[in-house]
Amino acid sequence: LSASGMGVDGAAVDLLIMTATPIPRSLAMTLYGDLTVSVIDELPPGRQPVTTAQRAPDRRDRIFGFVADQVRDGRQAYVVYPLIEDSAKSDLTSAESGCAELRDGWLSDCRVELLHGRLPADEKTQIMRRFADGEIDVLVATTVIEVGVDVPNASVMVIEHAERFGLAQLHQLRGRVGRGAAESYCILVAYPPDGEGQEWRERLEAMCATSDGFELAR
């Protein structure tokens, strides 16, 4: 799209649809809608590729030791959980429990804060401002941080119970790091579910194999 509002072929553009991530809905619109598609397949200036790895729960000592090292080097981190609070119907670790565990253990020397969707809007805004200003080292959160969060100093994303998230969510969450000049990492901690198929494993293997949103959407 040129500054004059003309398309690449010189025709006037009536409707411009943009998406940062090629989620399946976006692809469906291109298939069934009368749309001309332009693809931007390079990273924005200054962005770094994110190294993604899957790890088992018995590696959490090393994982959070690495997070602590990153904080000591002046970086920040996210730790994401699938639930806000513990539930009798689920054995998943919640953000509340995870935050307490990290504060009392591996990350006791770090400034750790909790963020989730049930907090009052002004409190959520204040927490995000403090994180962006570097007053919080590690932000423990739910998927409330999936979009609209831009903190270039954050270099690590740890996703607990990664097997419970879909590919679009995982890809969006990973996009919260690698936004600055520092080398960045996304660590997927998987707890193999009992009696379920291997689809979760295929999702995580795909995440580790590529950061190409088009390939993940396919």
Side-chain angles (χ1 to χ4, degrees):
L1 185 68
S2 69
S4 63
M6 304 299 286
V8 292
D9 59 358
V13 175
D14 299 310
L15 175 66
L16 179 63
I17 300 173
M18 296 182 291
T19 177
T21 304
I23 59 176
R25 177 177 176 272
S26 303
L27 293 183
M29 289 173 65
T30 66
L31 288 173
Y32 300 109
D34 184 14
L35 302 176
T36 300
V37 181
S38 297
V39 176
I40 302 174
D41 57 6
E42 66 268 11
L43 291 173
R47 292 283 183 87
Q48 302 297 319
V50 179
T51 300
T52 305
Q54 178 187 338
R55 294 291 182 263
D58 60 9
R59 300 284 296 275
R60 294 172 82 236
D61 276 343
R62 296 183 63 181
I63 291 168
F64 291 114
F66 175 71
V67 171
D69 288 342
Q70 288 283 297
V71 170
R72 280 190 285 270
D73 288 341
R75 304 298 173 194
Q76 293 164 276
Y78 302 95
V79 183
V80 176
Y81 292 85
L83 300 176
I84 295 176
E85 59 188 14
D86 291 340
S87 169
K89 299 180 180 179
S90 174
D91 59 355
L92 302 181
T93 304
S94 69
E96 290 181 345
S97 294
C99 185
E101 179 187 28
L102 295 175
R103 282 173 173 166
D104 295 339
W106 294 298
L107 303 181
S108 59
D109 293 333
C110 302
R111 297 169 296 178
V112 180
E113 190 58 78
L114 175 65
L115 178 70
H116 57 72
R118 291 184 190 168
L119 294 175
D122 58 344
E123 186 174 350
K124 287 188 289 186
T125 300
Q126 184 183 54
I127 292 171
M128 282 310 310
R129 179 195 58 75
R130 291 172 52 217
F131 186 64
D133 290 345
E135 298 173 10
I136 296 170
D137 299 317
V138 179
L139 188 63
V140 176
T142 58
T143 54
V144 68
I145 64 163
E146 185 177 339
V147 295
V149 177
D150 184 11
V151 180
N153 192 50
S155 61
V156 184
M157 165 70 68
V158 178
I159 304 177
E160 290 269 20
H161 292 287
E163 77 282 354
R164 297 291 180 170
F165 294 89
L167 267 179
Q169 279 186 313
L170 291 171
H171 186 57
Q172 289 277 37
L173 288 168
R174 175 169 59 182
R176 299 312 98 204
V177 294
R179 307 178 78 84
E183 188 171 1
S184 297
Y185 308 87
C186 179
I187 303 171
L188 309 172
V189 185
Y191 299 71
D194 295 331
E196 296 191 19
Q198 297 300 304
E199 183 180 344
W200 67 270
R201 193 183 302 275
E202 295 172 5
R203 290 198 302 272
L204 302 193
E205 288 175 352
M207 280 289 296
C208 294
T210 182
S211 59
D212 184 341
F214 293 95
E215 176 62 17
L216 291 174
R218 184 192 67 77

